[in-house]
Amino acid sequence: MDYKRILKEITIELKDHVSTGAVTNTIPELAKVDPKKFGMHLTTINGANYAVGDSQDRFSIQSISKALTVALAFSFSGEKIWKRVGVEPSGTAFNSLIQLEYEKGIPRNPFINSGAIVIADMLVSCLENPKEDFLRFIRVISGNPEITFNLAVAQSEKDTRFRNAALANFLKSFGNIENDVDEVLDFYFHQCSIEMNCCELANAFFFFANEGKTREGKAILTASQVKRLNAIMQTCGFYDESGEFTYKVGLPGKSGIGGGIVALYPKEFVVATWSPKLNKKGNSELGMHALELLTTKTEMSIF
Amino acid sequence: MDYKRILKEITIELKDHVSTGAVTNTIPELAKVDPKKFGMHLTTINGANYAVGDSQDRFSIQSISKALTVALAFSFSGEKIWKRVGVEPSGTAFNSLIQLEYEKGIPRNPFINSGAIVIADMLVSCLENPKEDFLRFIRVISGNPEITFNLAVAQSEKDTRFRNAALANFLKSFGNIENDVDEVLDFYFHQCSIEMNCCELANAFFFFANEGKTREGKAILTASQVKRLNAIMQTCGFYDESGEFTYKVGLPGKSGIGGGIVALYPKEFVVATWSPKLNKKGNSELGMHALELLTTKTEMSIF
Amino acid sequence: MDYKRILKEITIELKDHVSTGAVTNTIPELAKVDPKKFGMHLTTINGANYAVGDSQDRFSIQSISKALTVALAFSFSGEKIWKRVGVEPSGTAFNSLIQLEYEKGIPRNPFINSGAIVIADMLVSCLENPKEDFLRFIRVISGNPEITFNLAVAQSEKDTRFRNAALANFLKSFGNIENDVDEVLDFYFHQCSIEMNCCELANAFFFFANEGKTREGKAILTASQVKRLNAIMQTCGFYDESGEFTYKVGLPGKSGIGGGIVALYPKEFVVATWSPKLNKKGNSELGMHALELLTTKTEMSIF
Amino acid sequence: MDYKRILKEITIELKDHVSTGAVTNTIPELAKVDPKKFGMHLTTINGANYAVGDSQDRFSIQSISKALTVALAFSFSGEKIWKRVGVEPSGTAFNSLIQLEYEKGIPRNPFINSGAIVIADMLVSCLENPKEDFLRFIRVISGNPEITFNLAVAQSEKDTRFRNAALANFLKSFGNIENDVDEVLDFYFHQCSIEMNCCELANAFFFFANEGKTREGKAILTASQVKRLNAIMQTCGFYDESGEFTYKVGLPGKSGIGGGIVALYPKEFVVATWSPKLNKKGNSELGMHALELLTTKTEMSIF
């Protein structure tokens, strides 16, 4: 597959795309980013790399981190994590409290905020130094010791934490948070504040496409386990637009309100895009479009 | 009207009532109360008093305090308080977050928890020393300088605050809390922890039945204003059982999970009951029954 | 009380009211009415009559009929009707299906459409000739043999029945409709199509204010029973604006999308208003305002 | 891949499976089926066939037909069908009306009942003889002229149609049904009543795995179009258990309350199972388990 040519074509075609989206305004620190940025990086399972645009600019991975925390929790605790969080798409916004009330404190999946907060609580319980240990995990899977938190972003999230604080307290009222609410939120805001560029992001997700093994060959999860997490990314990875992403792109993936998206074709490639303007459902408008062009041009969707 | 005889008859008839309710378990400190207690006190507008049972035992007034905070906020700010909280029955449980999400942070009425928390926030904004000033207000309307907070109960509510903390943070995320969430909750837990006996409670609500004037003649609100608050008590005073209470008893009133109920017939009487066992909707089972007997025997419902 | 002067004052003050409402467009036949019409008629318990404006023009009583069908069903079956319909305000729009799903087919009260359809089903079961018998009942309570259905309106409702057909079938799926869905809807559309003028409407509701007896002295319900129905009108009579009406007007009443409102002060008076322009919640804008002026000027709200 | 051995192993392992499910009771005619039946048939893209158990017994395909009607509508009208029905998982039960109210009559996807009724309406509009033409389509894609409706089942569904009638009328009230409600439901009940055995079902779905071409090579849809329908099956094919099926099995598929499931691996195989006992979410309990065993043993999930 001539990925080089295809990424170039995509870049050209995206220039004609009239964007209606906007940079997130939920976290002041993220609102400062240049809305015109666009980067894309594709890594094949054989190690070939293709990049276009601002692929070397770091951005806030935000909710993309949810796929990494659930992987770490899954590696520690296995299937029993599903007793406290489900694997079903939610049919509502990422930060909705409604369904949580009907389902008595069991979040529908680990990729809506409530589910990710429960996963964060699990990690706070089982990691000795939660933030440091998680950072070490990220550095291992990405093979990059430089990746770190953006403390200003973490603080900015803390300052505007009220919706997430509502979710965490609500979960606690149902008995689905073990630790102190503030401690869990502190971990959660830090995990979301991690910064990577498209290249680093594609590397960090390499093990999802490589039967559980990192680029360096380190086994993080079993082949069966990554299949299962890929499945959840497919049905739940894009908030209340997961069906649309699956329909148009046809790859498992995860998005973040920083404008990043990572998607993967098992045993073939991992691809990361970044463009800060979000559509109404909170996903990167240009990123989704770029990935739709990618699977259309390559005819490589998993379906 | 021979209230003395009627209250005696009610006491006798209640003995045959097989209770299926239970003392609240949401606040550990309240769970300690003797479930067999029953008291009732009726004060006529002319100052006559009638009492039966444990009418001199103090109990935690809990949500009954919501009628008093809204009265105080109304006296300070008038009709503009309805910009931040509605006057419609909710159709859901007292601590539900669902409707709040649909209605974007405007609580349906001041008697569900979210609405009372918004009222608490208003008082924290306009009172110099919120807790002290509110206590002074209670002492004025009840004509009793001994009424005070139960600090153990307030602490117990704080220790198990998660549902209310979820509501307060959720409200704050919609911009409907001005002050610090913890400060507002601290005020709210204190207001709920006030203790009175049936006699004191009837006195405290005297001004609602007396065109806005306390037993001592002090004007708290105008005649028109207390009519309006009585109206809200009628439609919203008993959580998701307000319709049932209106249907069976036919008086405006307010209940609390401490087992207290206060109800009133404008220009005629105020009556308070106390029995700690609650029905499924969270209202005192025996209290509701006692008041139904009262309006049946006296034929004095407002309808 | 100088009702004559007060009604005159109200008429004058309403002229300054800038209306933002609109005539209903849900039933084509009703959309034809002159939006500028306004009538008001007050009947005292002693038989004095006061009228202003278009009080002799007949209009479609629509949902006001729900108070009359529930009275008839109550007279036949007593308290057991509440096994199939509740007495709680709904907290949602009059034609919502949502709550019905959560509450498994038991409508919250008899004044939302689903509840009225269940009541209609009861009448279809217990009346020999449902439509004729109901008409006879209306003629008896109003003392007027001329009152009848508007068949064009009934047909217009049938032609645009889909929301009500959804409700009726939904109720049937839960087992809360005994008869054929179409037969029940046919009865329901006819009951809504009844036409009265303000004077006739006030007479028809006379027994609600007169301890269950019509103007001619015929007992329809007991004094206790009309108190209970008045209570439901208070908490549920104005769709999702019942709290607001109670707050502002302070009388039990019932509205219809034809622009009519009837309200009453027990043992004092019945008052009917008509103005076709509805506010967003579906209640007559001018009618509500006229009644607010009435209780402000007379200081006669039940609270 | 030794499918013969694997299917045999699955049959043996299923014998140890203690079933807690039950045959559907929503349609009386379907309740008559033998709950112990189990059949499975796998067809590879190269035409090899493997079968075990009652794979030659015909059963009611029910909701599995929804994947076939959407394919037919898609072939007629292309992407514009998504203006009237979405592609997002619903997060609620298959026959819920709640979400439909919030989303103003646009069903979340074509596989919940409301969505399938909208698709049925499209077919009633664009087919000359809807039932006959749809049957002809089924016979073409399955290469089997014997497949037909079970009229007793269709009648049984009509007799107990109330929930679906509620949905159809609700859709009509939002303007999302063009034709007569009864005519659309008649078509819908017939499409659901089609009977096939596992072998026939696998053949009928062959084109979804074969880039849009039937076993006989006839092009039904383009390669891109079947990818898109497979994507919707993945996210929405199993009611409110689609996430679980994706997690455990990892193949796009569709289930029906007759106990059938069909799933497929693009360009590899189509597999159909049948076991009438359903779990709480309405999917065949043994069928789901058999398919989980299949993808575990073959290591062939698409993730």
Side-chain angles (χ1 to χ4, degrees), chain C residues 44-103:
Chain C
T44 71
I45 207 77
N46 302 319
N49 287 283
Y50 307 91
V52 288
D54 307 307
S55 66
Q56 294 296 318
D57 287 22
R58 285 199 175 133
F59 56 89
S60 195
I61 69 168
Q62 292 295 316
S63 290
I64 297 174
S65 68
K66 293 172 182 172
L68 302 176
T69 52
V70 78
L72 184 55
F74 203 27
S75 75
F76 265 89
S77 307
E79 296 288 333
K80 80 176 181 203
I81 68 174
W82 310 122
K83 287 182 183 162
R84 292 177 56 193
V85 59
V87 296
E88 291 300 329
S90 71
T92 54
F94 66 99
N95 61 0
S96 176
L97 284 91
I98 293 173
Q99 219 161 22
L100 204 52
E101 183 164 332
Y102 287 126
E103 309 210 349

Side-chain angles (χ1 to χ4, degrees), chain A residues 12-292:
Chain A
I12 293 165
E13 292 182 32
L14 286 181
K15 291 202 173 117
D16 295 336
H17 185 83
V18 181
S19 175
T20 56
V23 173
T24 184
N25 58 5
T26 57
I27 305 170
E29 196 65 25
L30 293 186
K32 299 175 181 172
V33 83
D34 178 357
K36 289 190 194 127
K37 291 283 183 179
F38 174 78
M40 189 167 185
H41 183 105
L42 185 148
T43 299
T44 70
I45 207 77
N46 302 317
N49 287 281
Y50 307 90
V52 289
D54 307 307
S55 66
Q56 293 296 319
D57 287 22
R58 285 200 176 132
F59 56 89
S60 196
I61 69 167
Q62 292 294 316
S63 290
I64 298 175
S65 68
K66 295 172 182 172
L68 302 176
T69 52
V70 78
L72 184 55
F74 202 27
S75 76
F76 266 88
S77 307
E79 297 288 331
K80 80 176 181 203
I81 68 175
W82 310 123
K83 287 181 184 162
R84 291 177 57 193
V85 59
V87 296
E88 292 299 331
S90 70
T92 54
F94 66 99
N95 60 0
S96 176
L97 284 90
I98 293 173
Q99 219 160 22
L100 205 52
E101 183 163 331
Y102 287 126
E103 309 210 349
K104 300 194 163 61
I106 304 297
R108 296 277 292 186
N109 66 65
F111 295 153
I112 49 176
N113 286 17
S114 54
I117 290 169
V118 169
I119 298 291
D121 180 57
M122 292 178 192
L123 292 179
V124 169
S125 290
C126 71
L127 299 177
E128 201 148 336
N129 300 297
K131 287 186 281 191
E132 293 74 9
D133 294 353
F134 177 64
L135 205 52
R136 194 173 317 127
F137 171 72
I138 300 290
R139 289 167 177 173
V140 165
I141 58 173
S142 61
N144 185 334
E146 284 177 20
I147 288 167
T148 191
F149 304 123
N150 179 326
L151 298 180
V153 169
Q155 185 61 44
S156 189
E157 287 213 49
K158 191 179 176 185
D159 294 342
T160 56
R161 73 190 171 282
F162 307 108
R163 185 84 174 218
N164 285 318
L167 284 168
N169 277 287
F170 202 28
L171 289 162
K172 182 98 179 170
S173 77
F174 286 110
N176 202 7
I177 292 289
E178 291 171 353
N179 298 285
D180 177 70
V181 163
D182 289 336
E183 190 182 357
V184 173
L185 287 176
D186 181 62
F187 178 84
Y188 177 69
F189 297 144
H190 276 80
Q191 81 173 62
C192 289
S193 80
I194 283 175
E195 291 189 330
M196 297 193 200
N197 61 36
C198 289
C199 172
E200 291 162 344
L201 194 54
N203 281 337
F205 274 72
F206 193 87
F207 74 96
F208 285 105
N210 191 36
E211 299 183 282
K213 293 197 184 69
T214 67
R215 204 152 171 170
E216 286 77 23
K218 185 171 165 56
I220 302 299
L221 291 168
T222 68
S224 166
Q225 284 177 319
V226 290
K227 274 172 175 282
R228 295 189 161 212
L229 296 187
N230 289 341
I232 305 175
M233 280 196 252
Q234 191 72 66
T235 52
C236 313
F238 290 78
Y239 315 126
D240 197 22
E241 199 171 35
S242 300
E244 187 83 5
F245 187 82
T246 301
Y247 180 84
K248 286 191 174 158
V249 177
L251 297 176
K254 187 72 204 79
S255 68
I257 57 160
I261 298 179
V262 62
L264 60 104
Y265 195 115
K267 300 182 199 170
E268 293 286 345
F269 63 73
V270 185
V271 59
T273 62
W274 175 51
S275 166
K277 289 165 91 170
L278 309 180
N279 64 22
K280 284 181 185 167
K281 297 290 183 85
N283 295 307
S284 169
E285 188 183 339
L286 231 50
M288 279 188 69
H289 194 52
L291 292 169
E292 185 181 0

Side-chain angles (χ1 to χ4, degrees), chain C residues 28-39:
Chain C
E29 196 65 25
L30 293 185
K32 299 175 181 172
V33 81
D34 177 358
K36 290 189 195 128
K37 292 284 183 178
F38 174 78

